[in-house]
Amino acid sequence: MFKRQQRLRREFIYRKNIENRVKSIKEGKDAIRKALDEEHAIPTELQKDALKIQKSLKFDDEGGEGYTTSRDDEYKWASVADPKIFLTTSRDPSAKLKKFAKEIKLMVPNTLRLNRGNLTVKDIVGACTAQNFSDILILCETRGVPDGIIISHLPFGPTAYFSLSDVTMRHDIPDKDGHMPQAYPQLIFHNFTSTLGKRVQDILKYLFPVPKANSKRIVSFFNRNDVITFEHLRKDKFEGKFNLSTLGPRFNLRLYKLIQGTIGMEGTSDVEWVLRPYMNTAHKRKFLSED
């Protein structure tokens, strides 16, 4: 099994390298085509191969229907089989983090929660891949306060690192619905309009199986200024009107790093996006939306 995982990983990396090469060629062709159309000077770095690139342009067809990338391979079975989630915490979790992990397990369908113990990240990834888990969720804390969640998709990634804030446990919500329904929830995403936003939306969306059309459970991800507010709700009909009641938990997420590989591969996987300190100084700069 381990040799098979290594082989699949090598094949995946090979396909990504081919894609990067094709992307580089396409960018050169686009630059040449733009320079010719607008009658501008050809970029200096392309002048040596400009004639050869120009001749190859006549063989290019319009459109890219049917073109797939390694990103398509990451979630190619998402709608075929229900996700299978492995949930654990950082080592020596506090009572509050254990409670939060229990509530996440109840909220996300098809989740197996296991105590971390002495397991390393490598052990977790290897065991979960062998058991056909689709995602790994690791909850983190600082001084007994949940402050981070890592979502790693198997077997090739991506892995998203989020900070957690304003965590309100289910049992701390007044007037909450006492019953936790088991139906698969409907998903609502708001304001994930940029390329990065759609990428993050996929990572969150594919944690949940496809629900039935009449499901009354609702999971909402509302993006405002790159802070994602998570709400777990129930839709009830009362006197001919629909009301939303809070099931909990609720919290805020903020992405601070996204890598292409699985967790534990930070040094060997490409970093798709990372939050830099200077980004916070840009006035009203947004990354998950284009508004």
Side-chain angles (χ1 to χ4, degrees):
M1 178 63 73
F2 183 69
K3 290 183 179 179
R4 179 176 179 271
Q5 294 174 11
Q6 287 184 322
R7 176 176 58 80
L8 292 175
R9 181 64 190 170
R10 287 197 299 269
E11 291 176 357
F12 183 72
I13 293 175
Y14 175 75
R15 290 199 302 272
K16 288 205 311 183
N17 291 335
I18 295 296
E19 289 168 17
N20 292 335
R21 193 183 311 165
V22 171
K23 181 181 177 181
S24 177
I25 294 173
K26 183 178 182 302
E27 289 175 350
K29 288 183 177 181
D30 291 342
I32 295 291
R33 185 182 291 109
K34 183 178 179 181
L36 293 174
D37 292 343
E38 299 180 359
E39 298 182 356
H40 291 166
I42 295 175
T44 305
E45 65 275 11
L46 297 175
Q47 290 179 359
K48 181 179 179 180
D49 300 321
L51 185 59
K52 183 170 63 175
I53 294 175
Q54 182 183 2
K55 290 181 179 179
S56 68
L57 291 177
K58 62 182 179 181
F59 298 105
D60 290 350
D61 297 326
E62 294 295 329
E65 294 78 6
Y67 178 72
T68 59
T69 67
S70 57
R71 290 191 180 183
D72 298 307
D73 289 341
E74 293 170 351
Y75 292 104
K76 64 181 178 181
W77 303 114
S79 300
V80 177
D82 289 344
K84 185 180 177 183
I85 312 299
F86 180 86
L87 174 65
T88 188
T89 64
S90 53
R91 286 197 174 96
D92 298 323
S94 64
K96 189 171 183 179
L97 188 64
K98 291 180 180 178
K99 183 179 177 182
F100 183 56
K102 182 179 179 180
E103 294 187 359
I104 294 294
K105 178 186 180 300
L106 292 174
M107 186 265 300
V108 181
N110 305 328
T111 297
L112 173 67
R113 181 171 68 94
L114 189 68
N115 293 332
R116 174 73 175 271
N118 293 324
L119 291 175
T120 64
V121 170
K122 184 177 180 181
D123 294 335
I124 293 173
V125 173
C128 290
T129 303
Q131 295 298 320
N132 295 320
F133 281 89
S134 63
D135 296 270
I136 297 174
L137 269 63
I138 299 180
L139 303 178
C140 308
E141 65 178 345
T142 300
R143 298 184 182 87
V145 178
D147 65 349
I149 182 170
I150 303 171
I151 303 174
S152 184
H153 184 67
L154 298 177
F156 304 129
T159 299
Y161 296 77
F162 295 93
S163 61
L164 277 174
S165 61
D166 298 331
V167 177
T168 303
M169 302 288 187
R170 169 174 163 78
H171 296 286
D172 295 334
I173 297 175
D175 302 326
K176 66 179 181 302
D177 192 327
H179 174 64
M180 174 69 76
Q182 298 301 309
Y184 295 162
Q186 303 277 359
L187 303 181
I188 297 176
F189 289 90
H190 177 73
N191 206 23
F192 292 81
T193 54
S194 69
T195 302
L196 177 62
K198 293 176 181 177
R199 181 74 159 150
V200 172
Q201 178 176 323
D202 285 344
I203 292 171
L204 298 172
K205 176 175 66 175
Y206 290 126
L207 293 175
F208 297 87
V210 178
K212 293 183 178 179
N214 60 351
S215 176
K216 296 182 179 179
R217 282 182 70 192
I218 297 174
V219 168
S220 168
F221 296 92
F222 186 93
N223 172 44
R224 179 181 296 168
N225 295 331
D226 294 336
V227 176
I228 305 169
T229 300
F230 172 90
E231 291 276 1
H232 184 206
L233 309 167
R234 178 187 175 97
K235 180 173 65 175
D236 297 309
K237 191 173 183 179
F238 180 72
E239 295 182 353
K241 297 181 179 180
F242 285 103
N243 299 316
L244 294 177
S245 57
T246 300
L247 293 174
R250 62 172 177 247
F251 47 82
N252 291 332
L253 295 166
R254 180 160 188 177
L255 180 73
Y256 65 87
K257 186 166 66 171
L258 179 65
I259 67 172
Q260 291 186 357
T262 58
I263 185 173
M265 299 179 60
E266 289 81 355
T268 59
S269 295
D270 294 335
V271 177
E272 289 191 34
W273 185 85
V274 63
L275 180 65
R276 304 289 185 184
Y278 68 85
M279 291 181 180
N280 293 325
T281 64
H283 181 61
K284 294 184 178 180
R285 180 176 293 177
K286 300 177 183 179
F287 305 100
L288 300 183
S289 66
E290 297 176 343
D291 298 339

